């Protein structure tokens, strides 16, 4: 079972879940396992390094939709709008 906290991160690595995935199921499970392991060991992120990603995407802190771009932490992969990046994280 995949924990709720990492569900938003998985599609960014392997694409959305669909009836006929592009990657074989074994590869998908390996990728999900690596993501879970990475987040288990790096759960105390300082959010020091960010990169911009094109929108539209939803902020994982406040839930607002950012139509043009959003920030993604390079370590823990959380997506945050500008307000949350500078004021909440």
């Amino acid at each position: 079972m995949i924990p709720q906290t990492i569900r938003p991160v998985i599609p960014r690595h392997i694409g959305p879940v669909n009836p006929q995935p592009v990657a074989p199921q074994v590869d998908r499970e390996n990728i999900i396992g690596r993501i879970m392991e990475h987040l288990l060991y790096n759960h105390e992120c300082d959010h020091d390094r960010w990169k911009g990603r094109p929108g539209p995407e939803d902020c994982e802190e406040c839930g607002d939709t950012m139509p043009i771009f959003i920030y993604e932490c390079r370590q823990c992969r959380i997506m945050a709008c500008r307000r949350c990046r500078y004021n909440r994280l």
Side-chain angles (χ1 to χ4, degrees), residues 33-45 75:
R34 282 188 300 209
I35 294 168
M36 289 173 60
E37 185 176 337
H38 171 77
L39 292 175
L40 280 172
Y41 290 111
N42 298 302
H43 67 278
E44 291 187 22
C45 183
Q75 181 178 347

Side-chain angles (χ1 to χ4, degrees), residues 4-27:
Q4 285 292 104
T5 55
I6 69 161
R7 283 186 186 274
V9 176
I10 293 170
R12 291 181 226 151
H13 290 275
I14 57 177
V17 176
N18 56 28
Q20 296 183 350
V22 176
Q25 188 65 24
V26 175
D27 291 340

Side-chain angles (χ1 to χ4, degrees), residues 8 14 24 29 33 35 57 60 80:
I14 57 177
E29 291 173 5
I35 294 168
E57 293 286 346
E60 293 177 18

Side-chain angles (χ1 to χ4, degrees), residues 8 12 56-67 69-71 78-85 88-89:
R12 291 181 226 151
E57 293 286 346
D58 294 331
C59 175
E60 293 177 18
E61 286 294 304
C62 68
D64 288 350
T65 300
M66 300 292 109
F69 81 99
I70 196 162
Y71 292 104
I78 190 172
M79 288 188 151
C81 65
R82 181 175 167 75
R83 289 182 303 264
C84 291
R85 175 186 172 188
R88 293 184 183 183
L89 298 175

